[in-house]
């Protein structure tokens, strides 16, 4: 059975052993909404519309959106493509390979 805490009391959490305090820079890649994101789109107008929507949502949630020239500074590359068209599939594969070579997620 669940017991309730009396109103106005708080729960004290013990810090985990062997943890170090993280600086803001250390946490940038860990905290949602703190990463820099590069968005790349291949395919039709619908794909571009979807990417614009996703970029808007990411920006609203605090993510920093980077352009093509800044992509190497990104923590995350979001690649949106259509696999119906072979050129889009090939371009997407090349982009993912470039991200992997830079150790970007």
């Amino acid at each position: 059975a669940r017991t309730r805490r009396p109103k106005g009391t708080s729960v004290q959490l013990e810090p985990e052993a062997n943890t170090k305090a993280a600086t803001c820079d250390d946490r940038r890649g860990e905290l949602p909404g703190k990463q820099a994101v590069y968005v790349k789109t291949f395919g039709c107008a619908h794909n571009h519309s979807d990417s614009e929507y996703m970029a808007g949502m990411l920006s609203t949630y605090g993510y920093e959106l980077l352009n093509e020239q800044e992509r190497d500074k990104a923590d995350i590359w979001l690649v949106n493509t259509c696999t119906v068209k072979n050129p889009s599939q090939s371009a997407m594969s090349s982009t993912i390979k470039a991200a992997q070579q830079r150790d970007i997620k």
Side-chain angles (χ1 to χ4, degrees):
R2 248 173 86 180
T3 59
R4 291 183 159 218
R5 276 185 296 112
K7 232 179 193 179
T9 61
S10 62
V11 175
Q12 296 296 320
L13 300 175
E14 295 295 322
E16 289 185 36
N18 300 326
T19 59
K20 68 172 190 155
T23 66
C24 288
D25 288 339
D26 293 339
R27 293 180 148 178
R28 178 177 169 211
E30 298 173 14
L31 297 175
K34 299 297 179 189
Q35 292 96 348
V37 181
Y38 165 62
V39 179
K40 181 65 177 177
T41 306
F42 300 103
C44 67
H46 186 78
N47 287 68
H48 286 275
S49 175
D50 287 347
S51 289
E52 287 177 14
Y53 179 80
M54 288 187 281
M57 295 300 293
L58 288 166
S59 179
T60 298
Y61 288 118
Y63 291 87
E64 177 186 5
L65 299 176
L66 303 179
N67 62 33
E68 182 87 26
Q69 292 77 27
E70 301 171 310
R71 72 182 192 173
D72 289 345
K73 298 175 187 172
D75 298 300
I76 301 166
W77 284 13
L78 188 151
V79 181
N80 182 22
T81 187
C82 172
T83 58
V84 174
K85 307 278 186 186
N86 195 37
S88 293
Q89 176 71 31
S90 297
M92 181 225 26
S93 296
S94 296
T95 300
I96 291 173
K97 189 175 286 187
Q100 290 172 332
Q101 290 171 345
R102 291 167 175 81
D103 198 29
I104 296 172
K105 294 177 177 37

